[in-house]
Amino acid sequence: LNAPTFGEAVHDLLAFVESQSLHNHTTLIAHNVSFDSRFLLAEFERNGIQVPEGWYFYDSLHLAKNVMGKDSLKSFSLQNLNKHFNLPAPEEEH
């Protein structure tokens, strides 16, 4: 794999997120956000970069369970939610 390191890509990430933010308020949405946010925050710390103020993380898994009822589906994976709502399959997640 010839992918850049987090340290090499973080400035592009910050510029992209800033360009999508409203009034210095950034909501980052992920399915099972605790995994992604722990990784992201650890990489910021490892690279000595402060996480921008005003970043909020929202979990689409939590939202789906609350809206639909946690016993409504056997699995709340993105694939199962897409099938349930007749949506196209998600792209490669990671």
Side-chain angles (χ1 to χ4, degrees):
L1 240 168
N2 196 17
T5 65
F6 183 84
E8 294 168 339
V10 69
H11 298 290
D12 289 336
L13 170 68
L14 290 171
F16 172 76
V17 170
E18 184 177 316
S19 75
Q20 303 300 310
S21 299
L22 291 171
H23 310 292
N24 295 323
H25 177 87
T26 301
T27 301
L28 301 165
I29 302 170
H31 202 68
N32 194 14
V33 76
S34 62
F35 171 82
D36 296 303
S37 63
R38 279 194 314 264
F39 166 79
L40 188 61
L41 296 174
E43 283 299 303
F44 270 103
E45 184 176 330
R46 190 169 71 86
N47 285 276
I49 301 168
Q50 187 172 0
V51 177
E53 200 171 304
W55 277 28
Y56 299 92
F57 296 93
Y58 199 79
D59 192 347
S60 60
L61 175 62
H62 181 74
L63 174 66
K65 287 181 176 181
N66 281 341
V67 169
M68 298 175 65
K70 60 184 175 183
D71 296 325
S72 63
L73 292 177
K74 188 174 187 177
S75 166
F76 284 85
S77 69
L78 283 177
Q79 292 81 1
N80 270 7
L81 288 169
N82 283 3
K83 285 179 190 175
H84 179 80
F85 290 109
N86 198 29
L87 298 171
E91 299 293 320
E92 184 65 29
E93 289 90 14
H94 298 280

